[in-house]
Amino acid sequence: MSADAAIAVENLAKRYGTVEALKGISFEVPHGQILGLLGPNGSGKTTTVTLLSTLQRPTSGTARVCGHDVTAEAARVRELISLTGQEASMDDGLTAVENLSVFGRLTGLRGAPLKSRIDDLVEQFDLRDVRDRRVGALSGGMRRRVDIASALITRPKVLFLDEPTTGLDPRSRAAVWDTVAGLRSEGITVLLTTQYLEEADRLADNIVMLHEGSVAASGTPAMLKQQAGAAVCEMTLADRSDADRVVGQLTGLEIIEAPTDGATTAHPRVVLRAPDGMATVGSVIERLQTARIEVVDIGLRQPSLDEVFMQLTETV
Ligand SMILES: Nc1ncnc2c1ncn2[C@@H]1O[C@H](COP(=O)(O)OP(=O)(O)O)[C@@H](O)[C@H]1O
Ligand SMILES: [Mg+2]
């Protein structure tokens, strides 16, 4: 384990009564990088964040933030980090700037330094138009932005974002993505939890996939896709009434996604593993032609992180 990682986690475990929320996970995050901690509900993401941010103590194992142990040096760790939880921690009745000011004062900032820090954050997060509006009246994405800005008021070295885009509409989600991507240029180390593979794929330098409290896989998005092996063949059917018939034509091939009975999409999608790449696609096209099944498109591509996750967790 390298001593100079921003976050270093080794065999970290947490039990709540009989529930083993974390079963001994290990990973590292180099300074200035973004880690995507990815997993479905209940996989242990929030537990990891609460242990790393010293809100709870591990049952066993160790975790260090900038070299400081989260248990033995909790106070020091708290000076270095900031956290935005799954639920925004702002006061809806206050304006954006008032909320930033509350957070600043909580950490001991006052007067001119506080004002100047707030002005910087308003600029950085593009909050000029909403600075004097009540946070309760803002869109979900804008609220998130104010929330993340307030987490940065102390200039943390490490920022924890627990599901920053859950529940947001696509436009707001994209705005939060821009915000997080912008943190990279500030040199802040970010641990971001998400249920969305696309989000981790877009933002994270490295991904740790959690499954029932254990690490199912980790690596760069590209490595994980490669680890899942073969490319996939994806096609879109021209006629949804072919949905049942197409599966019968693809015997011997591993279908990852097939239209469900009574598919209502006009053009159902079929995805299958293509262990032989172009040759698999060629064979598929031949079989479709023989059966007179029309497609809108068909192609060969790398598996998505969703498909990687499904494949990796099937065997855990
Ligand atoms: N305070 C707690 N008491 C008991 N069980 C908990 C507590 N917090 C979390 N758990 C359980 O630990 C597991 C992991 O939860 P959590 O870390 O919140 O997952 P995630 O954030 O990935 O959804 C779940 O089974 C959850 O029910
Ligand atoms: Mg959670």
Side-chain angles (χ1 to χ4, degrees):
M1 184 147 96
S2 66
D4 60 350
I7 302 173
V9 172
E10 207 171 354
N11 291 324
L12 194 66
K14 178 69 181 177
R15 202 180 312 114
Y16 298 108
T18 55
V19 179
E20 277 190 277
L22 285 179
K23 300 172 183 163
I25 64 168
S26 303
F27 62 83
E28 277 189 15
V29 189
H31 285 281
Q33 287 204 356
I34 301 180
L35 178 84
L37 189 63
L38 180 70
N41 253 329
S43 56
K45 302 182 297 297
T46 298
T47 301
T48 307
V49 168
T50 57
L51 298 181
L52 288 173
S53 55
T54 79
L55 296 175
Q56 291 181 334
R57 285 164 164 254
T59 307
S60 61
T62 58
R64 292 176 167 272
V65 174
C66 301
H68 302 284
D69 187 273
V70 294
T71 308
E73 299 168 274
R76 182 76 188 105
V77 169
R78 279 196 287 271
E79 292 170 2
L80 297 167
I81 63 166
S82 198
L83 163 70
T84 74
Q86 249 172 294
E87 262 110 64
S89 43
M90 287 171 303
D91 186 333
D92 281 349
L94 300 180
T95 68
V97 161
E98 286 164 348
N99 267 289
L100 288 169
S101 175
V102 168
F103 275 90
R105 274 183 272 138
L106 279 175
T107 63
L109 268 180
R110 296 279 188 283
L114 174 60
K115 188 178 174 306
S116 127
R117 182 69 184 135
I118 291 175
D119 287 344
D120 287 351
L121 288 167
V122 164
E123 284 301 310
Q124 183 187 337
F125 285 86
D126 214 359
L127 298 171
R128 280 175 302 275
D129 295 345
V130 302
R131 55 175 294 149
D132 297 317
R133 285 177 43 197
R134 280 192 320 107
V135 161
L138 301 180
S139 69
M142 206 46 105
R143 280 170 58 91
R144 258 300 154 190
R145 246 198 275 176
V146 177
D147 199 21
I148 296 174
S150 44
L152 291 179
I153 201 137
T154 58
R155 302 181 190 276
K157 294 264 182 292
V158 177
L159 176 65
F160 298 102
L161 299 173
D162 196 8
E163 300 202 26
T165 68
T166 296
L168 296 185
D169 59 82
R171 185 193 295 254
S172 299
R173 180 170 296 165
V176 172
W177 285 346
D178 284 347
T179 303
V180 175
L183 297 177
R184 186 194 303 278
S185 54
E186 305 272 301
I188 297 172
T189 305
V190 178
L191 188 154
L192 158 116
T193 80
T194 180
Q195 301 187 36
Y196 306 112
L197 298 119
E198 186 196 357
E199 184 161 300
D201 192 9
R202 240 167 223 260
L203 294 175
D205 298 290
N206 280 288
I207 291 177
V208 171
M209 287 186 173
L210 284 186
H211 178 64
E212 296 174 359
S214 297
V215 175
S218 61
T220 63
M223 276 162 59
L224 289 174
K225 288 178 191 173
Q226 204 174 18
Q227 198 176 331
V232 296
C233 168
E234 174 173 334
M235 72 194 84
T236 309
L237 301 179
D239 186 345
R240 73 164 176 248
S241 64
D242 284 332
D244 297 334
R245 222 154 53 86
V246 74
V247 175
Q249 296 302 318
L250 299 173
T251 47
L253 291 166
E254 189 188 343
I255 295 176
I256 305 172
E257 184 185 325
T260 46
D261 281 347
T264 50
T265 35
H267 304 296
R269 200 165 75 126
V270 181
V271 183
L272 51 120
R273 275 194 216 297
D276 300 320
M278 285 295 285
T280 306
V281 179
S283 146
V284 169
I285 290 173
E286 225 174 85
R287 296 189 205 190
L288 296 177
Q289 278 175 333
T290 310
R292 296 184 186 283
I293 294 172
E294 295 281 326
V295 295
V296 176
D297 59 47
I298 183 163
L300 184 70
R301 63 166 170 79
Q302 287 296 298
S304 71
L305 274 176
D306 267 307
E307 289 149 356
V308 173
F309 189 75
M310 274 191 292
Q311 193 185 3
L312 291 171
T313 53
E314 266 163 18
T315 53
V316 166

